[in-house]
Amino acid sequence: MKKIPALLFVLAVSSSGVSAQTPPAGEPAQLADATGVANQLALDTSQALVSDAPLKKKKKKKEGARLTLANHPSFRVGTAVRLDFEARVESDARTPTGAIGLDKSQFDVNRPRLGVTGAFFDKRLGFEISRDPTEGDGEWKDAYVNLRASRALELEGGRFKVPFGREMLTGRSNLDFVYRSFAAGSLSPSRDVGVMVHGRLHRGDLEYEAGYFARDGDNARTKQTRGAGNTLAARIVLAPFASRSGNVLAPLRLGAAAAASRLDHQLGLRGETVLGDGVFFDRVYVNGRRVRAGVEAVWESGPASVSSELVSVSDERKGMGFDGDLPGIRATAWYLAGTWAMTGEKKHGRLEPSHGLLHGGAVELAARVEQLRFGDVAYPGTAFGFPTPSSLIGNSDLAATVGVNWYLSRYVKVQPNLVIESIRDPGRSPAPGSAGRFISGVVRFQFAL
Amino acid sequence: MAFTRSFMIRVLAAALGLLSVYAALQAQSTDTLFDDTGALQEIRFMMNTRDWQALKDNFELDTYYPADLSWRGLTVRNIGVRSRGNTTRNPFKPGLRVDFNRYLSKQEFLGLKAMALDNMYSDVSLVRETIAMKLFVKLGFVAPRESHARVYVNNEYIGAYVIIESLDRPFISRMWGAPEANVESGGYLYEYNWVRPYGFETLGNGLEAYAELFTPKTRETDSTAGLYSPIKELIRAINESPDDRFVQEVEKYIDLHQFIRYLAVENFLADEDGLVGQWGLHNFYLYRFRDGRPWQLIPWDKDKTFSPPNHPIDYQINTDVLFVRAMTFPELRQIYFDALLSSAALAEEPGADDARGWLEREIDREIGRVQPALVEDSNYPFSMDDFDVEADFLRQFARTRTPFVRCQVARATRASDVRQTCSAPGSRPRR
């Protein structure tokens, strides 16, 4: 709670003065997010596409050492050295939800994040480190180096996001909703330690990433569960109509990803409601191979965007029954989301407000419908009463989220979201008294430097 | 200025008030919930009247219903309540299982994820279970905490119950530390499931027979081999190991000394429904440590203790393979007798200002506490005359059981004249 005054101060300062600043020509408008330098480069490129005016006036870069405060504090020595300092602070206010017994509003200050992104020798060598400064012995969020032979071939090593899932690879500051989708937050891996090759071909119309990771990401484990190990993951994204300038499908990007991991007599995935109040499908022990598969599509044009993903995960249960293998556990999640910038800004991740706060900043409407579904589980113990058979029947959560993204400045975003959920088995939902249906309201205040 | 001073005083008073409420709430803990020295605990449920009626109508089902629970100013919303029990299930005063995290996965109540409200429908006194568990704890065993409570549903008094700590991961964490309670790699906790008279005889190679008897309460969906192969190996060791390696082989799995001492306490308490009760193995949990320590027994459902005081100390031991074989070893027999004598010594331990033994004093104290709650309990299935008779019987048990046990131990160890007759009342109270 001590962080609240600081947050309010930051809100006030950023909305009053800093927002008037514009990025110097040729500089990225966004911080590199946790997807790594590859994604930072993607933003560089796309920024050039959407911000044609600054490009035309591109100035020759200064060669000497300098400190800039444009998007975020940045130290540079020509093109040889560049260090960007990043920070994010945010808090969530949650409205009461009577259906689940939440009678009072809740106010949480989320974990802050500090980080440094660096690039040396004309981006031949890059790195990022970031972590929660309040977490004394916690893991680093990101800690990796990136070696670039060419745009087509780069090598990344350290702790970073496993290449799987469009939304999961999107930085938290750039999300269109307060909470990640089921496809991203529940079934995609997130960060882990590993090595990856990646690159861009055909002027960025084709991207690839492939790597090996020690485990299968933060999303697959908790403080008490290990998650899978030995993960091989690959993702490919292409823009099949990019060359057809002016075609409505030109901005369409399609992708596919797959990952395979090894499970060793451990607990599998579980189904949690959007805000994490309830578990509608509990973990069961699994053993063998975990396979993830996902497809994705995103279309961004002018102030509008549409995106969708379909992700499935299947876990084997080798040798776990009285007579050998048990049927695997299967989970599937999908979402369809759309955004529209009412104030006309071009959509590419986080909006760049065309107007200052006094003129309302930038306002974007966002909506998403999604589902997370787990299949039935067969377990021989049910013949003897454990677990109760009803706890092993498949279950699903169908959720719709509507929200507004109000960018007070390039740094400050206010996100009110309304989440409507319906769980198929009300007895395993947080709202058994309202047939498994409930509505949650949350507002996020975010400052991202 | 006066306004300012008055305002400041009000603010200060409000702050102090809030501080005292906060301090009071902070002071609440499971120690307070299971504290049975003051007035009876008071548990209040608020739930949909149709749900409450449905729970009573379907008392044989384990269907959960949402409710709110209040205790000492604390309210836990949206918890799950269902009917519980085996032979004591009934539609008038249903035993209740309370799951605090049934619907809200992170919700706890004083660190508990669940607890039971036992209607003690077969115990006229309502104190057998609580006193038995106290004796186990005093003798160094791990056992659930318990206390009596008045229970209300929608502000209607439904009767006197016993709050019983759930044997689950919070319990394991409290007894053996957080790593043992790890949701994925913690220890294995089993509840013994009575299906027929059984005494550790060989069950064959198929694991299904073991699954029928040992219901996992942690790691429920683990591989059947992970759950049951070690139990199968234990039972094989009990039945097949040669005499000269019996102790060594069995102690690879269980804490044999703890098992024998546990049996002694049950028999001191004249438990008719324990390890070697009338119906074979019954009413215990088995805990398999994750770190390889020998497994232990945890007592459960002790409402059939305090049978007639002349309950023999070797009652039904010959029906159980483990104990038959164990008792052939003099050092293990001695452990058994020593544990019986320790139980007796504790039972007759005088108070600071009361010459009566601990057991008699405790019976008197608990009888005195629950009696007023039972007088008002219209769902109590006995009369208060029955209660008084039962109370007298328990006092008599406390006075006569100890000399009887000492006598039988002396005879068994030939410390006294083997012709000596050990006597104690052998009948149940007449109602």
Side-chain angles (χ1 to χ4, degrees):
Chain A
M1 293 298 281
K2 282 189 285 187
K3 300 181 187 96
I4 297 170
L7 181 62
L8 294 173
F9 173 77
V10 164
L11 280 169
V13 168
S14 62
S15 61
S16 61
V18 184
S19 62
Q21 296 178 358
T22 53
E27 291 188 0
Q30 299 289 334
L31 297 176
D33 60 34
T35 60
V37 170
N39 286 15
Q40 183 189 11
L41 296 178
L43 289 170
D44 286 347
T45 310
S46 56
Q47 186 63 23
L49 291 173
V50 297
S51 308
D52 50 350
L55 266 186
K56 288 174 187 171
K57 292 187 272 181
K58 191 170 183 177
K59 291 184 282 187
K60 189 179 178 183
K61 287 183 178 174
K62 293 176 184 174
E63 295 299 321
R66 63 203 166 97
L67 185 67
T68 70
L69 298 172
N71 297 333
H72 39 256
S74 181
F75 175 74
R76 299 173 187 200
V77 182
T79 58
V81 176
R82 172 175 166 171
L83 294 172
D84 293 327
F85 300 92
E86 311 163 3
R88 184 180 66 228
V89 184
E90 61 183 25
S91 63
D92 293 344
R94 185 174 175 186
T95 59
T97 306
I100 65 167
L102 181 63
D103 294 331
K104 295 175 183 170
S105 300
Q106 291 180 341
F107 192 82
D108 295 317
V109 176
N110 298 341
R111 291 185 297 183
R113 188 173 159 192
L114 290 177
V116 182
T117 305
F120 303 97
F121 315 120
D122 219 7
K123 297 181 182 174
R124 294 274 171 198
L125 171 65
F127 77 91
E128 180 176 356
I129 51 171
S130 64
R131 69 177 297 158
D132 173 2
T134 64
E135 207 172 272
D137 54 355
E139 281 188 321
W140 292 93
K141 279 287 185 189
D142 289 292
Y144 62 83
V145 294
N146 187 75
L147 298 173
R148 177 170 161 178
S150 68
R151 282 171 61 91
L153 181 62
E154 302 188 38
L155 177 66
E156 196 166 321
R159 180 177 154 79
F160 53 97
K161 283 184 178 173
V162 177
F164 189 100
R166 190 196 80 86
E167 195 198 329
M168 196 62 241
L169 294 170
T170 302
R172 187 176 168 106
S173 306
N174 294 337
L175 294 176
D176 295 328
F177 302 90
V178 172
Y179 294 97
R180 290 189 192 274
S181 66
F182 289 132
S186 297
L187 301 189
S188 298
S190 191
R191 293 179 179 82
D192 221 314
V193 175
V195 291
M196 176 175 83
V197 291
H198 61 99
R200 298 162 165 269
L201 304 167
H202 300 291
R203 299 182 310 279
D205 294 344
L206 174 64
E207 297 172 40
Y208 73 91
E209 300 160 283
Y212 167 81
F213 296 83
R215 294 157 80 185
D216 77 332
D218 291 340
N219 286 351
R221 57 179 174 258
T222 65
K223 285 178 182 172
Q224 299 216 357
T225 59
R226 289 167 291 161
N230 292 323
T231 300
L232 288 171
R235 176 175 179 254
I236 186 166
V237 177
L238 57 112
F241 309 107
S243 58
R244 300 181 188 180
S245 181
N247 188 310
V248 69
L249 292 177
L252 178 66
R253 296 179 76 81
L254 303 173
S261 317
R262 179 56 54 183
L263 300 157
D264 179 21
H265 289 283
Q266 57 200 95
L267 287 168
L269 302 174
R270 67 179 168 189
E272 276 192 309
T273 54
V274 173
L275 276 70
D277 299 306
V279 172
F280 62 89
F281 183 89
D282 210 354
R283 294 177 280 227
V284 298
Y285 280 84
V286 289
N287 184 48
R289 197 168 58 171
R290 167 173 289 165
V291 175
R292 288 182 169 88
V295 291
E296 61 187 59
V298 60
W299 175 87
E300 290 176 338
S301 180
S305 76
V306 178
S307 58
S308 183
E309 279 186 73
L310 171 65
V311 175
S312 79
V313 181
S314 64
D315 290 348
E316 289 181 336
R317 290 192 293 165
K318 291 280 187 191
M320 297 191 71
F322 290 123
D323 304 312
D325 300 347
L326 295 176
I329 308 293
R330 189 176 174 83
T332 307
W334 59 264
Y335 73 82
L336 176 64
T339 63
W340 177 53
M342 294 173 67
T343 43
E345 285 81 359
K346 286 185 178 176
K347 174 67 174 175
H348 187 77
R350 197 178 174 91
L351 291 187
E352 291 290 320
S354 318
H355 313 287
L357 176 59
L358 294 177
H359 296 90
V363 178
E364 182 181 52
L365 300 181
R368 178 175 69 198
V369 60
E370 60 179 328
Q371 187 183 48
L372 173 59
R373 186 176 66 242
F374 286 83
D376 293 344
V377 176
Y379 186 76
T382 52
F384 306 105
F386 67 90
T388 51
S390 60
S391 68
L392 295 181
I393 297 171
N395 203 6
S396 63
D397 185 353
L398 179 64
T401 305
V402 291
V404 176
N405 298 319
W406 182 23
Y407 295 84
L408 280 68
S409 71
R410 72 161 52 240
Y411 306 105
V412 179
K413 178 165 68 171
V414 180
Q415 278 183 298
N417 274 194
L418 201 65
V419 185
I420 305 149
E421 288 181 82
S422 176
I423 291 166
R424 195 173 71 192
D425 177 5
R428 285 183 285 163
S429 81
S434 57
R437 298 188 193 97
F438 57 102
I439 300 175
S440 312
V442 63
V443 182
R444 172 164 292 172
F445 305 89
Q446 184 184 73
F447 172 80
L449 187 64
Chain B
M1 193 66 181
F3 169 79
T4 305
R5 190 180 303 130
S6 156
F7 178 74
M8 291 298 286
I9 288 169
R10 275 186 219 168
V11 167
L12 197 61
L16 285 172
L18 284 173
L19 199 63
S20 61
V21 169
Y22 176 76
L25 291 177
Q26 289 295 303
Q28 314 288 27
S29 69
T30 49
D31 289 341
T32 318
L33 181 68
F34 294 113
D35 175 20
D36 67 351
T37 55
L40 255 56
Q41 304 294 343
E42 198 172 288
I43 303 284
R44 290 178 177 272
F45 293 100
M46 295 301 287
M47 61 192 295
N48 187 307
T49 51
R50 278 172 303 180
D51 286 347
W52 176 236
Q53 192 57 49
L55 187 151
K56 291 196 290 185
D57 291 346
N58 303 292
F59 64 91
E60 288 176 319
L61 302 179
D62 286 345
T63 308
Y64 278 92
Y65 300 89
D68 299 339
L69 178 147
S70 296
W71 171 80
R72 293 196 177 204
L74 288 179
T75 297
V76 201
R77 297 282 318 271
N78 201 14
I79 62 172
V81 180
R82 70 163 171 85
S83 175
R84 73 171 288 279
N86 292 317
T87 56
T88 58
R89 288 197 184 217
N90 72 86
F92 313 107
K93 186 180 179 181
L96 300 172
R97 178 176 166 87
V98 183
D99 278 23
F100 300 108
N101 64 347
R102 174 76 189 174
Y103 304 120
L104 299 174
S105 56
K106 298 183 183 80
Q107 182 161 266
E108 292 180 347
F109 172 60
L110 308 173
L112 302 176
K113 290 184 187 299
M115 66 184 192
L117 289 170
D118 196 326
N119 55 16
M120 293 294 158
Y121 221 54
S122 60
D123 178 12
V124 182
S125 73
L126 236 77
V127 303
R128 281 180 162 82
E129 164 106 4
T130 51
I131 293 171
M133 292 302 182
K134 277 201 185 83
L135 189 75
F136 271 103
V137 170
K138 279 178 167 284
L139 289 166
F141 291 87
V142 159
R145 291 175 291 181
E146 303 187 348
S147 64
H148 290 95
R150 292 169 179 264
V151 177
Y152 297 78
V153 174
N154 297 332
N155 293 320
E156 181 189 340
Y157 180 53
I158 62 164
Y161 282 71
V162 174
I163 308 171
I164 301 177
E165 181 179 20
S166 180
L167 297 187
D168 52 14
R169 286 192 291 105
F171 173 82
I172 293 168
S173 181
R174 181 172 74 82
M175 301 316 308
W176 295 298
E180 285 292 338
N182 183 287
V183 68
E184 181 175 76
S185 59
Y188 293 84
L189 178 69
Y190 305 88
E191 180 180 11
Y192 182 76
N193 179 40
W194 190 93
V195 289
R196 60 181 172 275
Y198 174 69
F200 286 121
E201 296 89 355
T202 300
L203 291 169
N205 277 330
L207 294 178
E208 289 90 336
Y210 303 87
E212 187 181 29
L213 298 178
F214 294 90
T215 304
K217 293 296 174 181
T218 59
R219 309 185 66 151
E220 273 184 302
T221 57
D222 207 343
S223 71
T224 52
L227 284 167
Y228 295 113
S229 289
I231 294 179
K232 187 178 92 173
E233 291 306 310
L234 163 68
I235 292 173
R236 188 196 55 75
I238 289 172
N239 286 274
E240 297 176 17
S241 56
D243 288 344
D244 61 339
R245 293 190 54 80
F246 173 80
V247 173
Q248 193 181 348
E249 290 295 320
V250 171
E251 284 188 335
K252 283 181 184 172
Y253 304 96
I254 62 172
D255 183 344
L256 192 50
H257 290 201
Q258 195 255 2
F259 271 54
I260 289 168
R261 290 175 57 243
Y262 179 103
L263 177 68
V265 178
E266 277 194 348
N267 272 345
F268 175 79
L269 288 166
D271 189 352
E272 290 182 331
D273 199 11
L275 287 180
V276 291
Q278 289 185 22
W279 303 278
L281 288 172
H282 200 194
N283 289 323
F284 68 91
Y285 278 65
L286 177 67
Y287 186 67
R288 259 178 70 198
F289 288 90
R290 71 194 285 267
D291 60 10
R293 274 181 280 172
W295 314 348
Q296 291 195 10
L297 294 171
I298 305 169
W300 188 249
D301 210 358
K302 293 293 159 212
D303 61 345
K304 294 279 196 305
T305 47
F306 300 96
S307 59
N310 68 345
H311 185 90
I313 60 168
D314 58 353
Y315 181 75
Q316 297 274 75
I317 283 182
N318 61 355
T319 63
D320 189 287
V321 180
L322 173 63
F323 296 115
V324 165
R325 295 200 69 185
M327 290 302 172
T328 62
F329 294 88
E331 68 274 21
L332 296 179
R333 276 172 68 85
Q334 194 55 51
I335 286 170
Y336 180 70
F337 295 134
D338 288 347
L340 279 167
L341 295 176
S342 297
S343 305
L346 179 64
E348 62 187 10
E349 193 174 82
D353 51 0
D354 190 339
R356 294 177 304 161
W358 170 82
L359 186 57
E360 188 176 352
R361 282 182 282 121
E362 187 61 21
I363 288 169
D364 245 7
R365 193 183 68 81
E366 295 207 14
I367 288 287
R369 286 184 79 232
V370 299
Q371 188 176 34
L374 289 175
V375 167
E376 298 165 31
D377 183 354
S378 60
N379 296 314
Y380 178 54
F382 309 99
S383 71
M384 290 314 293
D385 287 341
D386 291 341
F387 179 83
D388 292 339
V389 169
E390 192 74 10
D392 287 342
F393 169 77
L394 292 178
R395 290 186 191 103
Q396 182 193 51
F397 180 98
R399 286 191 292 268
T400 58
R401 180 65 178 163
T402 301
F404 179 80
V405 167
R406 284 191 187 286
C407 174
Q408 286 220 319
V409 170
R411 278 190 59 179
T413 56
R414 300 182 186 277
S416 68
D417 185 348
V418 292
R419 288 167 298 177
Q420 180 187 346
T421 303
C422 302
S423 64
S427 60
R428 296 169 183 282
R430 289 182 188 165
R431 291 191 288 273

